[in-house]
Amino acid sequence: MKTPLATAVLLGAAVLAHAQVDQVKVWAAACANCHGTNGHAQPGMEALAGKDKDELLQKLLDFKSGRKPATVMHQLSKGYSDDELRALAAYFAAQKK
């Protein structure tokens, strides 16, 4: 039998996990202008959906550090922590192509 404290902890963890997923979706929405909803880009733009998570993260980190030249991505990526970029890479990698 679960104690009220254990139930509260589990419920709190579930709410926090849901909030984190929602936050990643908010961050991903900022990418939609160029990369399409959920990373499904229009022809001529790079699609992010279903790409390798580690490759996406490396690109984002390279934009952030300036190692990879860009028109806007170097500026946008600097607005996120490395953990936030990691979450975004995982989100887009999990989307179906």
Side-chain angles (χ1 to χ4, degrees):
M1 186 164 134
K2 292 180 184 174
T3 66
L5 178 59
T7 302
V9 168
L10 290 174
L11 181 59
V15 168
L16 180 60
H18 184 69
Q20 288 171 332
V21 169
D22 286 346
Q23 182 59 59
V24 173
K25 287 181 180 180
V26 170
W27 295 330
C31 307
N33 285 334
C34 298
H35 299 285
T37 302
N38 296 324
H40 296 99
Q42 295 297 315
M45 296 304 292
E46 183 176 2
L48 304 177
K51 293 235 175 161
D52 181 76
K53 175 183 66 159
D54 294 329
E55 288 178 23
L56 284 172
L57 177 59
Q58 190 58 57
K59 279 185 180 182
L60 289 167
L61 293 172
D62 286 347
F63 283 129
K64 184 176 179 179
S65 71
R67 285 187 298 264
K68 185 170 179 61
T71 53
V72 247
M73 280 303 303
H74 65 291
Q75 295 170 341
L76 295 173
S77 59
K78 288 179 184 176
Y80 296 93
S81 70
D82 290 358
D83 285 339
E84 291 167 343
L85 293 176
R86 191 171 289 107
L88 276 166
Y91 174 81
F92 284 118
Q95 303 307 305
K96 291 185 180 189
K97 287 187 176 187

XYZ file of all heavy atoms in Angstrom:
721
model
N 0.841 -1.180 0.000
C 0.000 0.000 0.000
C 0.885 1.242 0.000
O 1.840 1.342 0.760
C -0.896 -0.019 1.239
C -1.888 1.085 1.245
S -3.148 0.703 2.458
C -3.254 2.255 3.244
N 0.597 2.185 -0.849
C 1.390 3.408 -0.952
C 1.016 4.367 0.167
O -0.149 4.516 0.514
C 1.170 4.095 -2.291
C 1.709 3.317 -3.454
C 1.461 4.056 -4.739
C 1.928 3.229 -5.915
N 1.588 3.824 -7.173
N 2.022 5.016 0.686
C 1.763 6.033 1.693
C 1.392 7.325 0.991
O 1.702 7.514 -0.191
C 3.005 6.270 2.565
O 4.023 6.845 1.743
C 3.492 4.988 3.199
N 0.737 8.228 1.680
C 0.401 9.519 1.061
C 1.648 10.268 0.586
O 1.618 10.909 -0.462
C -0.314 10.278 2.171
C -0.873 9.223 3.063
C 0.114 8.084 2.997
N 2.746 10.142 1.319
C 3.981 10.827 0.916
C 4.520 10.246 -0.381
O 4.893 10.981 -1.291
C 5.032 10.738 2.024
C 6.386 11.373 1.706
C 6.211 12.860 1.400
C 7.356 11.179 2.845
N 4.530 8.921 -0.489
C 5.020 8.283 -1.714
C 4.148 8.659 -2.902
O 4.643 8.940 -3.995
C 5.064 6.769 -1.533
N 2.860 8.691 -2.683
C 1.938 9.082 -3.749
C 2.184 10.524 -4.179
O 2.221 10.827 -5.374
C 0.475 8.918 -3.280
O 0.272 7.555 -2.901
C -0.501 9.288 -4.369
N 2.392 11.396 -3.228
C 2.656 12.808 -3.532
C 3.958 12.961 -4.304
O 4.040 13.746 -5.252
C 2.694 13.624 -2.249
N 4.980 12.199 -3.916
C 6.271 12.270 -4.608
C 6.128 11.790 -6.045
O 6.631 12.420 -6.982
C 7.346 11.457 -3.845
C 8.596 11.279 -4.679
C 7.679 12.136 -2.525
N 5.442 10.672 -6.243
C 5.236 10.153 -7.598
C 4.416 11.119 -8.450
O 4.729 11.346 -9.618
C 4.551 8.787 -7.544
C 5.402 7.643 -7.013
C 4.557 6.380 -6.871
C 6.589 7.390 -7.915
N 3.391 11.678 -7.867
C 2.573 12.649 -8.595
C 3.392 13.883 -8.956
O 3.324 14.381 -10.086
C 1.348 13.049 -7.769
C 0.397 14.046 -8.422
C -0.147 13.491 -9.726
C -0.729 14.400 -7.485
N 4.183 14.357 -8.010
C 5.040 15.512 -8.271
C 6.044 15.239 -9.375
O 6.289 16.086 -10.235
N 6.626 14.047 -9.375
C 7.581 13.677 -10.421
C 6.901 13.621 -11.781
O 7.458 14.064 -12.789
C 8.234 12.335 -10.092
N 5.684 13.098 -11.830
C 4.943 13.026 -13.091
C 4.614 14.414 -13.616
O 4.742 14.687 -14.813
C 3.663 12.216 -12.900
N 4.211 15.296 -12.729
C 3.893 16.675 -13.130
C 5.149 17.376 -13.646
O 5.117 18.060 -14.672
C 3.256 17.458 -11.959
C 3.181 18.945 -12.256
C 1.881 16.902 -11.656
N 6.275 17.186 -12.965
C 7.530 17.798 -13.389
C 7.973 17.265 -14.746
O 8.382 18.037 -15.619
C 8.620 17.552 -12.341
C 9.995 18.130 -12.652
C 9.919 19.643 -12.800
C 10.984 17.758 -11.567
N 7.863 15.959 -14.946
C 8.247 15.371 -16.232
C 7.375 15.924 -17.353
O 7.868 16.252 -18.433
C 8.136 13.849 -16.170
N 6.079 16.060 -17.095
C 5.165 16.616 -18.099
C 5.519 18.076 -18.407
O 5.519 18.498 -19.563
C 3.721 16.498 -17.622
C 2.720 16.958 -18.622
N 2.478 16.285 -19.795
C 1.914 18.049 -18.648
C 1.573 16.927 -20.487
N 1.207 18.001 -19.820
N 5.844 18.834 -17.387
C 6.224 20.239 -17.574
C 7.495 20.346 -18.398
O 7.622 21.238 -19.241
C 6.402 20.928 -16.222
N 8.446 19.437 -18.181
C 9.688 19.469 -18.948
C 9.424 19.170 -20.419
O 9.994 19.806 -21.301
C 10.695 18.481 -18.363
C 11.261 18.939 -17.039
C 12.100 17.876 -16.352
O 11.903 16.687 -16.538
N 13.050 18.330 -15.566
N 8.544 18.202 -20.697
C 8.186 17.889 -22.082
C 7.514 19.098 -22.720
O 7.815 19.452 -23.858
C 7.280 16.639 -22.148
C 6.685 16.461 -23.533
C 8.055 15.402 -21.739
N 6.603 19.719 -22.004
C 5.937 20.908 -22.534
C 6.943 22.015 -22.821
O 6.827 22.707 -23.830
C 4.871 21.415 -21.562
C 3.626 20.534 -21.555
O 3.462 19.692 -22.460
O 2.812 20.701 -20.635
N 7.938 22.205 -21.967
C 8.941 23.248 -22.168
C 9.748 22.979 -23.427
O 10.019 23.887 -24.206
C 9.876 23.350 -20.958
C 10.901 24.454 -21.095
C 10.273 25.831 -21.269
O 9.522 26.280 -20.419
N 10.552 26.493 -22.369
N 10.131 21.739 -23.649
C 10.885 21.396 -24.862
C 10.040 21.689 -26.100
O 10.555 22.192 -27.098
C 11.365 19.931 -24.832
C 11.997 19.537 -26.154
C 12.356 19.714 -23.693
N 8.755 21.421 -26.026
C 7.876 21.721 -27.165
C 7.816 23.221 -27.425
O 7.765 23.648 -28.575
C 6.472 21.168 -26.921
C 6.394 19.665 -27.028
C 4.975 19.193 -26.790
C 4.875 17.691 -26.892
N 3.497 17.223 -26.671
N 7.854 24.020 -26.381
C 7.877 25.475 -26.539
C 9.169 25.897 -27.234
O 9.154 26.707 -28.161
C 7.712 26.188 -25.176
C 7.989 27.680 -25.291
C 6.326 25.948 -24.622
N 10.297 25.351 -26.771
C 11.575 25.685 -27.418
C 11.552 25.241 -28.878
O 12.007 25.974 -29.759
C 12.740 25.009 -26.709
C 12.977 25.449 -25.308
C 12.722 26.678 -24.756
C 13.534 24.665 -24.256
N 13.080 26.690 -23.431
C 13.586 25.474 -23.095
C 13.988 23.359 -24.171
C 14.086 25.027 -21.882
C 14.478 22.903 -22.963
C 14.533 23.725 -21.829
N 11.038 24.045 -29.157
C 11.008 23.517 -30.522
C 10.124 24.363 -31.425
O 10.397 24.483 -32.621
C 10.530 22.068 -30.507
N 9.092 24.968 -30.869
C 8.211 25.814 -31.670
C 8.971 27.003 -32.256
O 8.644 27.483 -33.343
C 7.037 26.295 -30.830
N 9.997 27.455 -31.558
C 10.803 28.568 -32.067
C 11.587 28.162 -33.315
O 11.997 29.016 -34.096
C 11.756 29.062 -30.981
N 11.778 26.875 -33.509
C 12.530 26.374 -34.667
C 11.632 26.199 -35.897
O 12.135 26.017 -37.011
C 13.174 25.028 -34.329
S 14.177 25.033 -32.823
N 10.321 26.237 -35.677
C 9.368 25.916 -36.741
C 9.411 26.882 -37.916
O 9.139 26.481 -39.049
C 7.950 25.858 -36.175
N 9.748 28.136 -37.692
C 9.779 29.100 -38.800
C 10.687 28.637 -39.924
O 10.356 28.808 -41.091
C 10.215 30.474 -38.314
C 9.129 31.181 -37.550
O 7.951 30.919 -37.746
N 9.515 32.073 -36.665
N 11.817 28.059 -39.583
C 12.762 27.606 -40.604
C 12.733 26.094 -40.818
O 12.903 25.631 -41.943
C 14.184 28.015 -40.236
S 14.418 29.802 -40.139
N 12.547 25.342 -39.747
C 12.692 23.890 -39.820
C 11.368 23.146 -39.777
O 11.358 21.917 -39.724
C 13.614 23.400 -38.699
C 14.984 23.966 -38.790
N 15.910 23.541 -39.726
C 15.596 24.947 -38.078
C 17.027 24.228 -39.579
N 16.860 25.089 -38.585
N 10.257 23.861 -39.795
C 8.937 23.247 -39.845
C 8.455 22.751 -38.493
O 9.223 22.563 -37.564
N 7.141 22.541 -38.419
C 6.528 22.037 -37.196
C 7.105 20.665 -36.875
O 7.138 19.785 -37.741
C 4.999 21.952 -37.365
O 4.516 23.251 -37.700
C 4.336 21.462 -36.095
N 7.582 20.509 -35.651
C 8.197 19.261 -35.184
C 9.364 18.817 -36.059
O 9.682 17.633 -36.125
C 7.166 18.142 -35.061
C 6.123 18.450 -34.022
O 6.414 19.046 -32.983
N 4.897 18.078 -34.278
N 9.992 19.771 -36.731
C 11.177 19.467 -37.526
C 10.899 18.966 -38.924
O 11.808 18.501 -39.605
N 9.658 19.067 -39.387
C 9.291 18.632 -40.738
C 9.349 19.846 -41.666
O 8.343 20.531 -41.869
C 7.903 17.998 -40.742
C 7.840 16.743 -39.934
N 7.354 16.707 -38.655
C 8.248 15.490 -40.221
C 7.452 15.472 -38.184
N 7.993 14.713 -39.113
N 10.521 20.106 -42.206
C 10.771 21.314 -42.989
C 10.188 21.236 -44.389
O 9.999 20.157 -44.954
C 12.271 21.561 -43.079
N 9.926 22.397 -44.935
C 9.531 22.529 -46.328
C 10.778 22.318 -47.200
O 11.903 22.503 -46.740
C 8.946 23.924 -46.583
C 7.656 24.190 -45.842
C 6.541 23.260 -46.289
O 6.346 23.034 -47.476
N 5.815 22.717 -45.330
N 10.586 21.956 -48.465
C 11.738 21.783 -49.352
C 12.633 23.024 -49.345
O 12.147 24.151 -49.326
C 11.104 21.574 -50.727
C 9.753 21.009 -50.427
C 9.327 21.674 -49.140
N 13.920 22.805 -49.313
C 14.879 23.893 -49.311
C 15.409 24.233 -47.927
O 16.390 24.941 -47.795
N 14.744 23.725 -46.900
C 15.199 23.945 -45.528
C 15.592 22.592 -44.939
O 15.094 21.557 -45.373
C 14.096 24.583 -44.683
C 13.703 25.966 -45.147
S 15.066 27.153 -45.230
C 15.452 27.360 -43.515
N 16.462 22.614 -43.932
C 16.906 21.363 -43.324
C 15.849 20.819 -42.368
O 15.429 21.497 -41.432
C 18.212 21.562 -42.556
C 18.737 20.273 -41.966
C 20.072 20.407 -41.276
O 20.621 21.519 -41.204
O 20.556 19.379 -40.795
N 15.414 19.591 -42.626
C 14.486 18.907 -41.719
C 15.275 18.381 -40.525
O 16.406 17.924 -40.670
C 13.795 17.764 -42.438
N 14.696 18.476 -39.351
C 15.345 17.998 -38.129
C 14.720 16.702 -37.620
O 15.370 15.963 -36.873
C 15.258 19.071 -37.040
C 15.828 20.443 -37.394
C 15.602 21.418 -36.245
C 17.298 20.343 -37.740
N 13.497 16.434 -37.999
C 12.771 15.265 -37.505
C 13.493 13.972 -37.861
O 13.870 13.755 -39.011
C 11.361 15.241 -38.073
N 13.697 13.143 -36.842
C 14.282 11.832 -37.057
C 15.781 11.801 -37.280
O 16.343 10.732 -37.521
N 16.434 12.940 -37.177
C 17.895 12.963 -37.352
C 18.574 12.401 -36.107
O 17.987 12.356 -35.031
C 18.377 14.391 -37.598
C 17.918 14.954 -38.907
C 19.076 15.422 -39.695
C 18.623 15.879 -41.058
N 19.570 16.723 -41.691
N 19.822 12.008 -36.247
C 20.585 11.464 -35.139
C 20.759 12.517 -34.037
O 21.200 13.635 -34.319
C 21.954 10.984 -35.636
C 22.770 10.384 -34.522
O 22.485 9.247 -34.134
O 23.686 11.080 -34.029
N 20.394 12.132 -32.819
C 20.424 13.058 -31.680
C 21.823 13.622 -31.451
O 21.980 14.833 -31.256
C 19.937 12.336 -30.431
C 20.029 13.147 -29.157
C 19.590 12.354 -27.951
C 20.582 11.240 -27.743
N 20.647 10.648 -26.453
N 22.837 12.782 -31.507
C 24.204 13.243 -31.247
C 24.692 14.196 -32.338
O 25.386 15.167 -32.050
C 25.157 12.057 -31.096
C 24.851 11.224 -29.854
O 24.364 11.804 -28.852
O 25.092 10.003 -29.884
N 24.322 13.913 -33.574
C 24.708 14.816 -34.675
C 24.006 16.169 -34.541
O 24.624 17.211 -34.771
C 24.387 14.183 -36.023
C 25.301 13.029 -36.379
C 24.931 12.384 -37.706
O 24.283 13.040 -38.558
O 25.286 11.209 -37.894
N 22.718 16.139 -34.204
C 21.988 17.394 -34.003
C 22.614 18.203 -32.873
O 22.834 19.413 -33.014
C 20.521 17.122 -33.669
C 19.612 16.713 -34.810
C 18.249 16.293 -34.275
C 19.467 17.832 -35.819
N 22.908 17.535 -31.762
C 23.506 18.237 -30.631
C 24.853 18.832 -31.018
O 25.130 19.992 -30.693
C 23.668 17.304 -29.428
C 24.354 17.933 -28.221
C 23.592 19.157 -27.718
C 24.525 16.904 -27.121
N 25.676 18.073 -31.732
C 26.984 18.591 -32.118
C 26.845 19.817 -33.009
O 27.570 20.806 -32.838
C 27.816 17.517 -32.818
C 29.259 17.926 -33.023
C 29.952 18.261 -31.710
O 30.004 17.449 -30.804
N 30.472 19.472 -31.588
N 25.903 19.791 -33.949
C 25.671 20.965 -34.799
C 25.262 22.173 -33.964
O 25.764 23.281 -34.168
C 24.585 20.686 -35.837
C 25.057 19.936 -37.050
C 23.923 19.841 -38.050
C 24.344 19.109 -39.290
N 23.285 19.042 -40.303
N 24.345 21.956 -33.030
C 23.884 23.060 -32.185
C 25.027 23.629 -31.348
O 25.172 24.853 -31.234
C 22.740 22.584 -31.278
C 21.422 22.309 -31.988
C 20.469 21.557 -31.063
C 20.805 23.590 -32.494
N 25.829 22.758 -30.789
C 26.975 23.220 -29.988
C 27.998 23.935 -30.860
O 28.620 24.912 -30.425
C 27.608 22.048 -29.242
C 26.738 21.413 -28.154
C 27.403 20.145 -27.615
C 26.440 22.395 -27.041
N 28.183 23.451 -32.091
C 29.115 24.108 -33.017
C 28.601 25.495 -33.426
O 29.390 26.430 -33.556
C 29.349 23.239 -34.252
C 30.229 22.030 -33.972
O 30.870 21.977 -32.887
O 30.279 21.128 -34.824
N 27.292 25.619 -33.623
C 26.726 26.945 -33.891
C 26.960 27.861 -32.698
O 27.392 29.001 -32.846
C 25.213 26.863 -34.152
C 24.825 26.355 -35.508
C 23.904 25.330 -35.626
C 25.351 26.896 -36.662
C 23.517 24.863 -36.872
C 24.984 26.444 -37.915
C 24.061 25.416 -38.020
N 26.682 27.340 -31.510
C 26.790 28.132 -30.288
C 28.217 28.636 -30.067
O 28.419 29.782 -29.676
C 26.330 27.295 -29.091
C 26.305 28.052 -27.785
C 25.748 27.171 -26.666
C 25.746 27.904 -25.354
N 25.184 27.092 -24.268
N 29.197 27.788 -30.335
C 30.596 28.161 -30.102
C 31.179 28.995 -31.240
O 32.250 29.571 -31.096
C 31.449 26.905 -29.920
O 31.582 26.220 -31.157
N 30.485 29.017 -32.390
C 31.006 29.743 -33.545
C 31.850 28.876 -34.464
O 32.359 29.356 -35.475
N 32.012 27.595 -34.143
C 32.782 26.690 -35.012
C 32.088 26.452 -36.342
O 32.732 26.177 -37.337
C 33.030 25.342 -34.318
C 34.082 25.377 -33.240
C 34.403 23.984 -32.704
N 33.254 23.356 -32.076
C 33.005 23.368 -30.766
N 33.851 23.959 -29.949
N 31.939 22.771 -30.287
N 30.751 26.521 -36.344
C 29.988 26.326 -37.570
C 29.361 27.666 -37.951
O 28.561 28.212 -37.199
C 28.907 25.261 -37.344
C 28.125 24.900 -38.584
C 27.257 23.672 -38.307
C 26.430 23.276 -39.494
N 27.185 22.925 -40.668
N 29.730 28.203 -39.105
C 29.175 29.491 -39.515
C 27.685 29.375 -39.856
O 27.216 28.326 -40.267
C 29.995 29.854 -40.755
C 30.581 28.585 -41.240
C 30.662 27.650 -40.074
N 26.972 30.464 -39.643
C 25.533 30.468 -39.912
C 25.054 31.899 -40.076
O 25.765 32.845 -39.744
C 24.803 29.808 -38.750
N 23.838 32.020 -40.590
C 23.249 33.349 -40.707
C 22.540 33.743 -39.422
O 22.672 34.862 -38.958
C 22.262 33.410 -41.889
O 21.313 32.355 -41.744
C 22.981 33.273 -43.214
N 21.788 32.811 -38.821
C 21.080 33.096 -37.578
C 21.310 32.072 -36.475
O 21.211 32.416 -35.305
C 19.546 33.185 -37.772
C 18.998 34.533 -37.546
C 19.070 32.574 -39.024
N 21.624 30.850 -36.834
C 21.713 29.786 -35.827
C 22.773 30.065 -34.766
O 22.594 29.696 -33.608
C 21.980 28.424 -36.478
C 20.743 27.784 -37.060
S 19.392 27.549 -35.864
C 20.165 26.561 -34.607
N 23.839 30.738 -35.118
C 24.862 31.028 -34.107
C 24.313 31.970 -33.041
O 24.679 31.886 -31.875
C 26.133 31.577 -34.758
C 25.953 32.907 -35.424
N 25.208 33.074 -36.573
C 26.400 34.115 -35.072
C 25.215 34.346 -36.903
N 25.936 35.009 -36.016
N 23.409 32.852 -33.432
C 22.797 33.762 -32.459
C 21.720 33.049 -31.637
O 21.662 33.189 -30.420
C 22.181 34.967 -33.173
C 23.212 35.823 -33.861
C 22.572 36.862 -34.772
O 21.409 36.729 -35.150
N 23.321 37.896 -35.104
N 20.875 32.282 -32.298
C 19.789 31.587 -31.614
C 20.319 30.559 -30.610
O 19.827 30.466 -29.494
C 18.875 30.891 -32.623
C 18.108 31.813 -33.560
C 17.373 31.003 -34.612
C 17.152 32.681 -32.781
N 21.323 29.806 -31.005
C 21.839 28.739 -30.139
C 22.471 29.284 -28.867
O 22.471 28.609 -27.837
C 22.827 27.855 -30.895
O 23.907 28.629 -31.376
N 22.970 30.503 -28.919
C 23.570 31.106 -27.717
C 22.523 31.413 -26.647
O 22.864 31.617 -25.492
C 24.347 32.366 -28.080
C 25.624 32.059 -28.805
C 26.378 33.306 -29.174
C 27.601 32.905 -29.995
N 28.333 34.041 -30.476
N 21.257 31.416 -27.013
C 20.191 31.678 -26.054
C 19.780 30.463 -25.241
O 18.897 30.556 -24.398
N 20.417 29.329 -25.494
C 20.078 28.087 -24.804
C 21.292 27.542 -24.070
O 22.419 27.664 -24.547
C 19.603 27.026 -25.811
C 18.328 27.396 -26.514
C 18.352 28.051 -27.749
C 17.094 27.090 -25.965
C 17.179 28.399 -28.403
C 15.912 27.429 -26.604
C 15.964 28.082 -27.818
O 14.809 28.421 -28.451
N 21.035 26.902 -22.931
C 22.123 26.214 -22.229
C 22.447 24.927 -22.999
O 21.651 24.478 -23.846
C 21.699 25.864 -20.798
O 20.726 24.837 -20.807
N 23.561 24.315 -22.682
C 23.917 23.053 -23.325
C 22.871 21.980 -23.017
O 22.534 21.172 -23.885
C 25.305 22.583 -22.890
C 26.420 23.459 -23.448
O 26.141 24.418 -24.204
O 27.598 23.185 -23.128
N 22.336 21.969 -21.807
C 21.299 20.996 -21.444
C 20.018 21.238 -22.238
O 19.345 20.289 -22.636
C 21.003 21.042 -19.945
C 22.094 20.393 -19.114
O 22.871 19.571 -19.655
O 22.184 20.713 -17.918
N 19.679 22.485 -22.459
C 18.491 22.798 -23.258
C 18.700 22.368 -24.707
O 17.786 21.817 -25.335
C 18.173 24.286 -23.163
C 17.687 24.690 -21.788
C 17.646 26.186 -21.551
O 18.279 26.954 -22.314
O 16.971 26.594 -20.584
N 19.888 22.583 -25.242
C 20.192 22.134 -26.607
C 20.148 20.611 -26.679
O 19.658 20.046 -27.662
C 21.556 22.657 -27.056
C 21.656 24.169 -27.251
C 23.081 24.570 -27.612
C 20.677 24.661 -28.305
N 20.615 19.947 -25.652
C 20.569 18.481 -25.579
C 19.104 18.012 -25.606
O 18.765 17.062 -26.314
C 21.276 18.000 -24.309
C 21.540 16.533 -24.238
C 22.442 16.168 -23.041
N 23.810 16.635 -23.268
C 24.380 17.681 -22.643
N 23.729 18.353 -21.732
N 25.621 18.029 -22.919
N 18.256 18.685 -24.873
C 16.831 18.336 -24.848
C 16.183 18.565 -26.212
O 15.370 17.756 -26.670
C 16.113 19.132 -23.764
N 16.546 19.655 -26.862
C 16.013 19.927 -28.204
C 16.467 18.872 -29.205
O 15.669 18.402 -30.020
C 16.456 21.311 -28.684
C 15.607 22.467 -28.211
C 16.314 23.801 -28.460
C 14.256 22.450 -28.885
N 17.737 18.508 -29.153
C 18.256 17.480 -30.064
C 17.513 16.164 -29.853
O 17.121 15.497 -30.823
C 19.762 17.299 -29.858
N 17.281 15.800 -28.606
C 16.559 14.560 -28.303
C 15.114 14.648 -28.802
O 14.579 13.676 -29.347
C 16.597 14.287 -26.805
N 14.497 15.802 -28.623
C 13.113 15.990 -29.074
C 13.004 15.788 -30.584
O 12.153 15.036 -31.068
C 12.610 17.382 -28.686
C 11.254 17.681 -29.248
C 10.104 17.208 -28.625
C 11.104 18.426 -30.422
C 8.839 17.462 -29.149
C 9.849 18.688 -30.941
C 8.726 18.199 -30.303
O 7.489 18.450 -30.838
N 13.852 16.471 -31.341
C 13.772 16.352 -32.803
C 14.157 14.960 -33.284
O 13.567 14.434 -34.227
C 14.616 17.427 -33.483
C 13.976 18.778 -33.448
C 14.588 19.823 -32.793
C 12.753 19.013 -34.039
C 13.998 21.080 -32.733
C 12.133 20.259 -33.993
C 12.773 21.295 -33.334
N 15.125 14.336 -32.631
C 15.518 12.981 -33.006
C 14.363 11.996 -32.807
O 14.239 11.019 -33.552
C 16.740 12.553 -32.195
N 13.525 12.243 -31.821
C 12.408 11.350 -31.510
C 11.214 11.515 -32.454
O 10.305 10.678 -32.464
C 11.951 11.563 -30.074
N 11.214 12.576 -33.259
C 10.105 12.810 -34.194
C 10.246 11.894 -35.407
O 11.351 11.632 -35.867
C 10.079 14.271 -34.640
C 9.973 15.281 -33.526
C 8.814 15.025 -32.597
O 7.674 14.926 -33.025
N 9.108 14.904 -31.312
N 9.125 11.431 -35.922
C 9.158 10.593 -37.126
C 9.501 11.451 -38.333
O 9.065 12.586 -38.438
C 7.811 9.907 -37.342
C 7.522 8.867 -36.292
C 6.257 8.129 -36.593
C 6.031 7.109 -35.492
N 4.953 6.203 -35.806
N 10.284 10.880 -39.234
C 10.663 11.591 -40.469
C 9.464 11.815 -41.341
O 8.516 11.128 -41.337
C 11.721 10.811 -41.240
C 13.063 10.854 -40.606
C 14.089 10.215 -41.499
C 15.466 10.356 -40.874
N 16.514 9.914 -41.729
